[in-house]
Every structure is written in structure tokens, then in C-alpha cells.
Amino acid sequence: MKRKKSMIRGFAAAAVSALLLSGCSDIGLGDQTMLRPPRATGDQAAMQQIISEEAAGSYTMKYPQSGDYRSAVNVFKSEDGTEYAAALYSTENDSKIHVTIMLREGDKWISLGSCTNSGTGVDRIIYRDINSDGKGEFLIGWLGYTPGLNTLSIYSLDSDTVRETTIEENYTDFVITDITGDKKDDIVLLSLRNNQTSSSATLLQYSEQDKRPISKYALELDNEVTAFNSVISGKIDKKTVGIVIDGENASDQNTTQVIYYDKNTKNLVDPLLTENDAGQTKNATLRKEVITARDINGDGIIEVPVISDMAAPKDVNAGKVCSCTAWKQINTDDGSLVPTINTVYNYNDGYYFVMPARWGTDVTALSDSENRLLTFYIWNSKTSSLGDKLLEIHRFNRSEWDKMDHGDYMMLHTVNNNGREYIIAAQIFKTQAIDSLNIEKSELELGVRLI
């Protein structure tokens, strides 16, 4: 769209997101308000008029490609209730992307200033108080001409004028969180390796002397990782905030990296990335499955997945042998992994099962994908053989389920997939061999969860 009339209509259809700050670093998300065509009124008309005047011609709204705020115009509220807006657009006069910062004064909006960037697009926009002055700063990530070499600019307000600071280091992804535990937000840039540099994490902290975030700590990451699948931050134990990165390598294998600040060494560490005797890096979470770290048990702490094959007789087809996904937490005292729960995933049928802790290695599982069946057996390690059956989990078509005699099957979940309805049901079998391995209905109901 190149004509001004089209640009105004595009603006009128853009979403305005509200972000509320509560305290210095806690974020609350407000409701989204849609700007609707054909004619903008009120706030939308005022913002539109400012953009038109700043652009001095035809303009095209620019939308962030990632993050929580995907609108070309986003409204944010600071701690003291002051409202600001950031508009992203390009003009017909140059190839750069413009950002205009606006302030609400009573029932009017005024422009505080505009800046330009030569990036190819907008990665994301965040509003956070990174210098603890009670005012938020606009952090905008700009896409680079080379994938993964993005730049971060910070737009702060000094006496209601806009001051731009550009971070020297490039990033592939970044996180804002208090990783050092000093009650102030840190910026952590995550970069995949390129022709010039290795993969790294760089921690930036705001410097009152320099009036900008500066690099304080750095950590080399796994150079085998070629893409980030998931980057989250949160508690990795009861007292430590960390950043958890799931990525994949050139061989389509996946790993998890956990970064946190070690107060003893006063640096960033990743205890999961270690070296063997030959100097080669290794990671205990290496796996072929695309499964990402999360708070799997709802205790507020992020667990990482470690996957291994379950036991099975030699004459069983390898494709039927299930994997056990052990979810573990980081012990930040020594960097070890502490088990929490074990699960078996059935990706084809869309669920996983949380195994009772008492099962340990005394139980194994086989999958029959053709019949949509997952079966758990006692495992006899002395004879390397299957023992009594303990549990069957089955996925039925709705029509199948409605026609059959359910017998001892217990319906657990109804799943809709591409217009088809399926039933996840299970049947418990009692064993006399090891009474403690028998499962109760309450455990089954809680244990079978949809992916």
C-alpha cells in the first residue's frame, strides 16, 4: 500500500495494546482495543494525525514479528499512570523504519519525538523500567539484514523528550529479567554463532554513570545449537531466577541450556553444558524429540526434560519401545539435576502419562501406534522380560466409542482434531506380583494429560 488514503485505513485497523506496570518489574497485561475502519475517532484519530504529520507523506505501518505486542501502535502506562504510545511505520521518502513516541496530555496526544532505524523490520517492542526511575523505557528490537543479527535500541524519556541508545552487541533473542537478584531488571542478549563470533549470552546492567545498559557478564553457549525453539525465564529453584533455552542443532537433535547468575563466581553459568575428556562439549538433555522445558508439575519452578529409552525384551520391535521423559530441576549449589516426575509421551494421540513415583524402573511401556494403544507392564530386570500388565491407555474414534461395550474402560478426555472427535480412555489391571505397583483410579485421572 503506497497511497496515504490506504495507509490511514491500515492504521485504523491496527490493534492498540495496553501494558500496565505494577511495581518496578512486574507486568500486567491490559485489554486490547481495536482501531476500526473506515474513520478513526478520539485517540485513534489524534495518533493518526501525529503520524501523518511526522511522516510528511504516504506511510506504511510496521508490525513486530515476535513478542507480546504485535500492533503497529501500542499504548503503555507507566507506574504513575501516565500513558505513552509508540507508533512504528515507514515512509515513501526513505527506506528506514520510524518510531514516534507520543504522550497523552488530558484528552489529547502530543508527539515527544521520532527516531529512525535502518533495520529490515521490527522484531519486538517491550516497555520496562530498566533504570528504576519510575518511568518505563521503550525497548525495540530491529531485524538485521543477516538473520539472527538483530539490534536493540532503547528509547528513554528525559524531560519528556526522547533519547535513543543503541546496544552495540547483536542478538538472536533477548530476555529482560532480574537474573542477578538485585531487584533491578537485567537485559540478557542471546546470540547464535556466526562467522565472527561464538554463541553467547551477554548480561547488560544499567549504569547510572554511563546512562545506558553496559555489558557486565558473558557466557559462551553451545556452539552446536543452530536455532532457538523456546526461550523462557523464571525460577529454576526456590531462590534462583534463570533463563532456559531449548534449541536444535544441525542434526535435528534438541537440547536445553539453563543460564543463571552464580553469586559465588560472580558470573553467568550453564551447568548442563560440560566437556568430556577429549574437550568435546556434551549436554545431558540431548534428545531427538522436540519437547521444551516448562513447569511440568505446577510448583512454580521450571523443569528440564531428560529422555531415555525404557526397558524391553530383545525380541520387541524397537519402534514399540517407549521413551521415558524424566523432568528434572537444577540444583544451583552443585549444578546437578534433581528428578521430579517421570512421564511417557504419546505424541501421535496427543497425551502424556505421569507415572507414579513408586514405579521407578520396575515398570516399562510399549506403544502400538496402529491400534492407538499404550500399555504399561511390570519389568523383570533379572530375566529381562515383561511381567503383568498394569495399564492400557487407548484412543478411540467417537463413533467407535459410542458403539462399543466400554467394560472396564474409563473415559478420561475428549479431543477434537480437525473436526473429528476422539476419546482417550484407559483400563486398569491388577497384579498380584507386586501389589505396590497397582495404580488407583484417582492416579489415572490425574496422570493422563493432554499435550
Side-chain angles (χ1 to χ4, degrees):
M1 293 187 288
K2 296 183 179 180
R3 296 298 175 196
K4 190 171 184 178
K5 184 176 181 181
S6 297
M7 289 311 100
I8 293 174
R9 185 176 296 114
F11 177 88
V16 175
S17 303
L19 188 158
L20 307 177
L21 285 185
S22 172
C24 292
S25 60
D26 295 332
I27 293 180
L29 304 185
D31 295 333
Q32 289 189 337
T33 303
M34 298 300 294
L35 301 177
R36 300 183 181 278
R39 179 178 298 175
T41 60
D43 286 353
Q44 295 92 332
M47 294 177 186
Q48 178 180 298
Q49 181 63 32
I50 290 172
I51 296 171
S52 297
E53 292 173 358
E54 297 278 356
S58 297
Y59 59 88
T60 303
M61 304 310 295
K62 293 293 183 178
Y63 297 84
Q65 301 299 301
S66 63
D68 292 329
Y69 303 96
R70 305 293 182 94
S71 298
V73 181
N74 292 282
V75 176
F76 305 98
K77 187 178 290 186
S78 67
E79 254 186 340
D80 63 4
T82 304
E83 286 186 281
Y84 299 94
L88 300 159
Y89 57 94
S90 62
T91 73
E92 63 178 357
N93 300 320
D94 60 45
S95 59
K96 295 182 178 181
I97 301 175
H98 298 246
V99 53
T100 293
I101 307 297
M102 294 171 271
L103 165 70
R104 179 194 281 279
E105 283 193 342
D107 58 355
K108 297 180 180 179
W109 285 92
I110 63 170
S111 173
L112 298 179
S114 295
C115 299
T116 59
N117 189 278
S118 58
T120 62
V122 184
D123 173 37
R124 72 191 73 176
I125 181 170
I126 297 174
Y127 184 69
R128 293 287 282 270
D129 182 8
I130 62 169
N131 60 5
S132 302
D133 65 351
K135 292 183 179 179
E137 285 72 47
F138 298 88
L139 293 91
I140 301 180
W142 304 101
L143 297 173
Y145 286 90
T146 301
L149 291 179
N150 306 324
T151 58
L152 176 63
S153 295
I154 300 171
Y155 302 90
S156 53
L157 302 175
D158 291 337
S159 301
D160 287 335
T161 59
V162 179
R163 183 168 65 88
E164 180 183 28
T165 301
T166 299
I167 303 300
E168 295 178 0
E169 296 87 352
N170 295 115
Y171 76 86
T172 306
D173 206 330
F174 73 90
V175 176
I176 303 175
T177 188
D178 178 15
I179 197 171
T180 56
D182 62 358
K183 308 301 181 184
K184 296 179 181 179
D185 276 333
D186 307 302
I187 302 172
V188 181
L189 304 180
L190 306 172
S191 300
L192 291 170
R193 68 170 179 169
N194 53 57
N195 293 333
Q196 289 79 38
T197 62
S198 300
S199 298
S200 64
T202 304
L203 189 152
L204 308 175
Q205 290 184 319
Y206 187 83
S207 167
E208 288 291 347
Q209 180 179 343
D210 297 293
K211 299 298 180 185
R212 60 181 292 143
I214 61 172
S215 175
K216 294 283 289 185
Y217 310 102
L219 172 70
E220 186 170 322
L221 298 179
D222 188 351
N223 279 305
E224 298 300 314
V225 173
T226 57
F228 296 145
N229 292 329
S230 170
V231 176
I232 59 175
S233 63
K235 285 189 173 183
I236 56 172
D237 66 16
K238 291 182 179 179
K239 61 182 186 299
T240 308
V241 171
I243 297 171
V244 184
I245 308 165
D246 289 295
E248 63 182 59
N249 60 28
S251 302
D252 293 328
Q253 291 184 306
N254 300 273
T255 59
T256 300
Q257 299 177 82
V258 178
I259 302 170
Y260 61 93
Y261 177 74
D262 188 318
K263 293 182 180 179
N264 294 321
T265 62
K266 298 190 184 308
N267 211 336
L268 297 177
V269 296
D270 175 10
L272 297 184
L273 189 62
T274 58
E275 287 189 357
N276 59 22
D277 294 337
Q280 300 171 317
T281 58
K282 61 178 182 178
N283 189 315
T285 68
L286 187 68
R287 57 194 181 271
K288 63 181 182 295
E289 294 85 354
V290 182
I291 185 170
T292 57
R294 67 200 68 179
D295 177 11
I296 191 73
N297 58 0
D299 65 352
I301 297 173
I302 299 171
E303 284 87 16
V304 301
V306 177
I307 300 176
S308 58
D309 289 334
M310 301 183 80
K314 293 181 179 179
D315 59 350
V316 171
N317 186 304
K320 292 188 174 184
V321 181
C322 293
S323 297
C324 173
T325 301
W327 294 90
K328 302 185 178 185
Q329 294 176 355
I330 297 288
N331 179 343
T332 56
D333 292 330
D334 59 13
S336 63
L337 288 168
V338 181
T340 55
I341 63 173
N342 291 333
T343 58
V344 174
Y345 273 72
N346 186 335
Y347 296 98
N348 291 333
D349 295 333
Y351 67 88
Y352 66 94
F353 178 63
V354 179
M355 294 193 293
R358 64 183 181 279
W359 278 8
T361 57
D362 292 328
V363 175
T364 191
L366 300 180
S367 172
D368 182 349
S369 57
E370 184 178 348
N371 292 303
R372 302 293 186 182
L373 188 63
L374 178 62
T375 307
F376 291 84
Y377 300 90
I378 294 177
W379 174 248
N380 190 327
S381 58
K382 292 181 179 179
T383 60
S384 297
S385 61
L386 298 177
D388 291 346
K389 185 187 300 184
L390 297 171
L391 175 66
E392 280 186 356
I393 307 174
H394 201 129
R395 193 193 83 172
F396 298 96
N397 296 326
R398 166 57 82 173
S399 56
E400 232 183 331
W401 178 259
D402 289 342
K403 294 175 183 177
M404 66 181 280
D405 177 6
H406 301 155
D408 293 325
Y409 270 106
M410 179 169 56
M411 187 172 77
L412 300 168
H413 296 285
T414 301
V415 180
N416 289 290
N417 187 7
N418 295 324
R420 294 187 175 184
E421 190 172 71
Y422 301 96
I423 303 298
I424 307 296
Q427 183 176 1
I428 293 173
F429 297 86
K430 294 292 184 179
T431 178
Q432 303 299 320
I434 308 177
D435 187 62
S436 63
L437 298 182
N438 284 317
I439 187 170
E440 302 299 327
K441 286 186 177 181
S442 58
E443 292 179 300
L444 178 59
E445 290 173 326
L446 292 173
V448 177
R449 305 174 186 178
L450 298 180
I451 296 175

